Amino acid sequence: MEKIRIGIVGYGNLGKSAELGIRQNKDMELTGIFSRRNPQDLQLQDEAIPVYHLDQAAQMTDQIDVMVLCGGSLSDLPVQGPALAGLFNTVDGFDTHAKIPEYFDAVNLKAIQANKTCIIASGWDPGMFSLNRIYAEAILPVGETYTFWGEGVSQGHSDAIRRIDGVLDAKQYTIPVPEAIEAVQNGSLPKLTTREKHRRVCYVVADQGADRQRIEQTIKTMPNYFADYDTDVHFVSEDDLNRDHAGLPHGGLVIRYGQTGSNNDHSHTIEYRLKLDSNPDFTANVLLAYARAAYRMNRDGQFGAKTVADVAPAYLSAKSAVEIRQQLI
Amino acid sequence: MEKIRIGIVGYGNLGKSAELGIRQNKDMELTGIFSRRNPQDLQLQDEAIPVYHLDQAAQMTDQIDVMVLCGGSLSDLPVQGPALAGLFNTVDGFDTHAKIPEYFDAVNLKAIQANKTCIIASGWDPGMFSLNRIYAEAILPVGETYTFWGEGVSQGHSDAIRRIDGVLDAKQYTIPVPEAIEAVQNGSLPKLTTREKHRRVCYVVADQGADRQRIEQTIKTMPNYFADYDTDVHFVSEDDLNRDHAGLPHGGLVIRYGQTGSNNDHSHTIEYRLKLDSNPDFTANVLLAYARAAYRMNRDGQFGAKTVADVAPAYLSAKSAVEIRQQLI
């Protein structure tokens, strides 16, 4: 079997999960890990995998079919995405929703010039949740779509707490409000405020002499991150945090409630729900399925930046068109 | 706005729902209803809509962009599908899973010859459930997919009961077994028999002198339809049936349970769940979204038979690519 040769750029949580995910896909092989760090400093899960400095990538365009970009959306991808789109087919999980159009245009420009196929904003939100919003709205044009996140760890919110003076470590859980989900399912088409949709629970390890009241107050009033939510703060020991909150679970739910019939007398709900033990493992696996798609779309001459909206589902499957029709349709 | 001109072939439950569904899509207009019956005999919901005999369709290829085929999979579509694929872009809900490959080939041959785009086996199963099986398996290659149907009315099973001597009318509900769904959600990867996944509940109106015990026995032992299930049979009056069981609700659930990590130590579930007040309304709306896709794919030169696996999600949306990226990704 001809294998798709994958490169991974960035070796944080997502890159590590991508390394493991490739082992689950028999039609893929991992050519190497690319990092801005000194290659000697990376401890790989499989030591047989070569590690390269990112600067070496430009000399390896004939050895890699798709680069899976595992850097962050804040500072890594805005630079790496367009740069690597000029050299490779790529897939990434760019997740700053408001900047997706701008990022798309930057990647598209380079990908078109280089005849490459670059799928951006993949993962689960954006990604699988986006797909479900698109499908559900197309099927039920009269209706309303709601997205809930959690229960799960928000790394951005955990980081925000860690930056507070006197905080040694922290984990933040985003929790959807059950009453809000029920209201949507029951068809009451609620107008939900930020506070009504989700609440936030924080586990914080404070420095010994730190003023816990000040820390709690700083968290609960932090603009954008916590001020608009009901937030619980629990102080725990470092041991407790490591024992009870070591994982990165996440998940969520997209629901569309819609109506049909001559007087909108028939109600329908479409629900798409994820429960994930490991957010990076799942996200990496989505990226790898879209890496397969990028490789095949490129072979089919579909160049430029793409989102999940532009990718026919069959491109993601390891099965042939005939097998899909026999086994999955 | 340029409107997509739709024709509907067949005016049973699905055709009637398609007539209503078109009103929800601002970029579509209904050119006419086509039937094998005498056009004068059809009572339309909107009397302003022209009704034609199906034989007239061949003279109207320049007036219709997409034909929505609303006939049955048993005898209508195997004939109409290939015949109309030689004249129009089409979309249908062909749902005999085992015969999809054969039907695909027959439609494909005619569609390719005529430069038409024909999306077959759309709807919700096959259709949206197929999509979710494809996506979920591609994302979680190590795992298992389960499909549950119901709670809802199976028209095929209701018809089978009605054919029994002494039965005046009947409604059959397919009900998924909650314990089976829980076992899947809990990751026990159960091997489920037909009986363990679903049960069947029948409401039967019997002729006055009919032998109810014989009817009940005939239902419960009917091969393929009931023999492999736990089946409840309730005899009710015609009034009760019309009052309590007039609707055609349905729904169901696709779940994939999968594992990731170096030792498959992380579990994930992907669930796609539908709750539908009206099976034909929802199915018709899916067909209409795919009618939009067939029209656009044809404009883009993508000819031949297609399934939902071959259709990029953006083709279904009334929104532009830019709007999708801004609002839905």
Side-chain angles (χ1 to χ4, degrees), chain A residues 325-326 329, chain B residues 9 67-86 90-111 118-122 126 287 304-307:
Chain A
R325 288 196 288 275
Q326 283 171 346
I329 298 290
Chain B
V9 179
M67 277 290 202
V68 178
L69 312 190
C70 297
S73 297
L74 191 63
S75 52
D76 299 328
L77 293 177
V79 178
Q80 293 172 4
L84 291 165
T90 65
V91 56
D92 70 51
F94 184 83
D95 65 359
T96 312
H97 286 262
K99 295 196 171 172
I100 285 172
E102 174 189 333
Y103 181 67
F104 179 92
D105 291 339
V107 172
N108 191 47
L109 187 73
K110 295 306 211 64
C118 298
I119 301 175
I120 69 152
S122 167
L287 263 56
K306 310 285 174 193
T307 71

Side-chain angles (χ1 to χ4, degrees), chain B residues 90-148:
Chain B
T90 65
V91 56
D92 70 51
F94 184 83
D95 65 359
T96 312
H97 286 262
K99 295 196 171 172
I100 285 172
E102 174 189 333
Y103 181 67
F104 179 92
D105 291 339
V107 172
N108 191 47
L109 187 73
K110 295 306 211 64
I112 291 279
Q113 286 170 356
N115 282 0
K116 297 299 177 190
T117 306
C118 298
I119 301 175
I120 69 152
S122 167
W124 61 273
D125 195 2
M128 299 314 296
F129 275 16
S130 320
L131 279 182
N132 277 280
R133 289 187 285 260
I134 294 167
Y135 280 122
E137 183 183 276
I139 295 169
L140 294 172
V142 175
E144 202 67 57
T145 305
Y146 299 82
T147 302
F148 293 92

Side-chain angles (χ1 to χ4, degrees), chain B:
Chain B
M1 185 199 275
E2 176 206 15
K3 298 212 179 197
I4 306 171
R5 301 167 301 168
I6 305 280
I8 293 173
V9 179
Y11 200 64
N13 284 326
L14 186 58
K16 288 174 188 166
S17 289
E19 182 191 356
L20 296 178
I22 289 168
R23 301 183 195 169
Q24 297 194 328
N25 291 284
K26 297 194 183 76
D27 60 345
M28 297 182 186
E29 63 185 19
L30 177 53
T31 304
I33 309 275
F34 295 81
S35 170
R36 286 169 313 166
R37 289 183 269 169
N38 184 338
Q40 273 80 52
D41 295 348
L42 265 64
Q43 276 293 106
L44 262 61
Q45 294 160 106
D46 177 354
E47 293 185 359
I49 304 293
V51 185
Y52 304 96
H53 192 275
L54 185 52
D55 293 342
Q56 298 176 261
Q59 280 82 54
M60 295 177 65
T61 53
D62 59 342
Q63 294 169 54
I64 288 163
D65 295 313
V66 187
M67 277 290 202
V68 178
L69 312 190
C70 297
S73 297
L74 191 63
S75 52
D76 299 328
L77 293 177
V79 178
Q80 293 172 4
L84 291 165
L87 298 165
F88 298 95
N89 302 314
T90 65
V91 56
D92 70 51
F94 184 83
D95 65 359
T96 312
H97 286 262
K99 295 196 171 172
I100 285 172
E102 174 189 333
Y103 181 67
F104 179 92
D105 291 339
V107 172
N108 191 47
L109 187 73
K110 295 306 211 64
I112 291 279
Q113 286 170 356
N115 282 0
K116 297 299 177 190
T117 306
C118 298
I119 301 175
I120 69 152
S122 167
W124 61 273
D125 195 2
M128 299 314 296
F129 275 16
S130 320
L131 279 182
N132 277 280
R133 289 187 285 260
I134 294 167
Y135 280 122
E137 183 183 276
I139 295 169
L140 294 172
V142 175
E144 202 67 57
T145 305
Y146 299 82
T147 302
F148 293 92
W149 298 275
E151 175 167 347
V153 172
S154 163
Q155 295 178 257
H157 288 78
S158 302
D159 289 344
I161 300 170
R162 282 191 208 103
R163 284 191 293 265
I164 296 171
D165 194 47
V167 171
L168 296 178
D169 203 354
K171 266 289 170 62
Q172 192 269 187
Y173 293 86
T174 307
I175 299 174
V177 175
E179 293 77 11
I181 295 177
E182 278 163 34
V184 173
Q185 288 170 327
N186 294 339
S188 51
L189 290 166
K191 298 276 171 219
L192 297 165
T193 62
T194 298
R195 192 179 303 274
E196 285 165 343
K197 285 185 73 183
H198 298 94
R199 60 193 190 87
R200 300 195 175 280
V201 177
C202 315
Y203 295 90
V204 181
V205 182
D207 209 350
Q208 237 186 338
D211 179 347
R212 293 183 171 202
Q213 225 169 351
R214 174 189 53 81
I215 291 173
E216 181 166 345
Q217 200 56 25
T218 307
I219 294 171
K220 289 185 171 177
T221 57
M222 197 185 294
N224 301 319
Y225 285 89
F226 294 99
D228 298 334
Y229 299 85
D230 289 333
T231 301
D232 291 334
V233 176
H234 304 282
F235 289 94
V236 297
S237 71
E238 192 145 16
D239 285 349
D240 286 352
L241 195 81
N242 291 336
R243 188 190 63 226
D244 301 335
H245 306 285
L248 291 170
H250 219 312
L253 175 65
V254 175
I255 317 182
R256 186 167 183 89
Y257 170 86
Q259 295 170 329
T260 62
S262 49
N263 298 302
N264 291 343
D265 34 4
H266 292 144
S267 297
H268 310 270
T269 55
I270 303 173
E271 287 188 20
Y272 182 79
R273 190 185 289 265
L274 297 177
K275 273 182 84 172
L276 315 176
D277 265 5
S278 163
N279 187 355
D281 277 10
F282 189 83
T283 302
N285 271 23
V286 176
L287 263 56
L288 291 172
Y290 279 96
R292 179 182 292 120
Y295 172 71
R296 293 174 174 179
M297 290 173 79
N298 188 261
R299 252 185 357 193
D300 286 355
Q302 298 187 44
F303 305 137
K306 310 285 174 193
T307 71
V308 294
D310 307 308
V311 180
Y315 278 123
L316 303 174
S317 175
K319 291 184 169 153
S320 72
V322 168
E323 287 170 329
I324 288 173
R325 288 196 289 275
Q326 283 171 346
Q327 299 168 27
L328 295 171
I329 299 288

Side-chain angles (χ1 to χ4, degrees), chain A residues 186-198:
Chain A
N186 295 340
S188 51
L189 290 166
K191 298 275 171 221
L192 297 165
T193 63
T194 298
R195 191 179 303 274
E196 286 166 340
K197 285 186 74 182
H198 298 93

Side-chain angles (χ1 to χ4, degrees), chain A residues 49-297:
Chain A
I49 304 293
V51 185
Y52 304 97
H53 192 276
L54 185 52
D55 293 343
Q56 298 175 261
Q59 280 81 54
M60 295 177 65
T61 52
D62 58 344
Q63 293 167 54
I64 287 163
D65 295 314
V66 187
M67 278 291 202
V68 179
L69 312 189
C70 296
S73 297
L74 191 63
S75 52
D76 299 328
L77 292 177
V79 179
Q80 293 171 5
L84 291 165
L87 298 165
F88 298 96
N89 302 314
T90 65
V91 56
D92 71 50
F94 184 83
D95 65 358
T96 312
H97 286 260
K99 295 195 171 171
I100 285 173
E102 175 188 332
Y103 181 67
F104 180 93
D105 290 340
V107 171
N108 191 46
L109 188 72
K110 296 306 212 65
I112 291 279
Q113 285 170 355
N115 281 2
K116 297 298 177 190
T117 307
C118 298
I119 301 174
I120 70 152
S122 166
W124 61 272
D125 196 1
M128 300 314 296
F129 275 16
S130 321
L131 280 183
N132 277 281
R133 288 187 285 259
I134 295 167
Y135 280 122
E137 183 184 277
I139 295 169
L140 295 173
V142 175
E144 201 67 56
T145 305
Y146 299 82
T147 303
F148 293 92
W149 299 275
E151 176 168 344
V153 172
S154 163
Q155 295 178 257
H157 288 78
S158 302
D159 290 344
I161 300 171
R162 283 191 208 102
R163 284 192 294 266
I164 296 171
D165 194 45
V167 170
L168 296 178
D169 203 353
K171 266 289 169 63
Q172 192 270 186
Y173 294 86
T174 306
I175 299 174
V177 175
E179 292 77 11
I181 295 177
E182 278 163 35
V184 174
Q185 288 171 326
N186 295 340
S188 51
L189 290 166
K191 298 275 171 221
L192 297 165
T193 63
T194 298
R195 191 179 303 274
E196 286 166 340
K197 285 186 74 182
H198 298 93
R199 61 193 189 86
R200 300 195 176 279
V201 177
C202 315
Y203 295 90
V204 180
V205 182
D207 208 350
Q208 238 186 338
D211 179 347
R212 294 181 170 202
Q213 226 168 350
R214 173 189 53 81
I215 291 173
E216 181 165 344
Q217 201 53 27
T218 307
I219 294 172
K220 289 185 169 177
T221 57
M222 198 185 294
N224 301 319
Y225 286 88
F226 294 99
D228 297 335
Y229 298 85
D230 289 333
T231 302
D232 291 334
V233 177
H234 304 283
F235 288 94
V236 296
S237 72
E238 193 146 16
D239 285 350
D240 286 353
L241 194 80
N242 291 336
R243 191 190 60 229
D244 301 335
H245 306 287
L248 291 170
H250 219 313
L253 176 64
V254 175
I255 317 183
R256 186 165 183 92
Y257 171 86
Q259 294 170 327
T260 61
S262 49
N263 297 303
N264 291 343
D265 34 6
H266 292 145
S267 297
H268 310 270
T269 55
I270 303 173
E271 287 189 21
Y272 181 79
R273 189 185 290 265
L274 297 177
K275 273 183 83 171
L276 314 175
D277 265 6
S278 163
N279 187 356
D281 277 11
F282 189 83
T283 303
N285 271 23
V286 177
L287 263 56
L288 291 172
Y290 279 96
R292 180 182 291 120
Y295 172 71
R296 293 173 172 178
M297 291 173 79

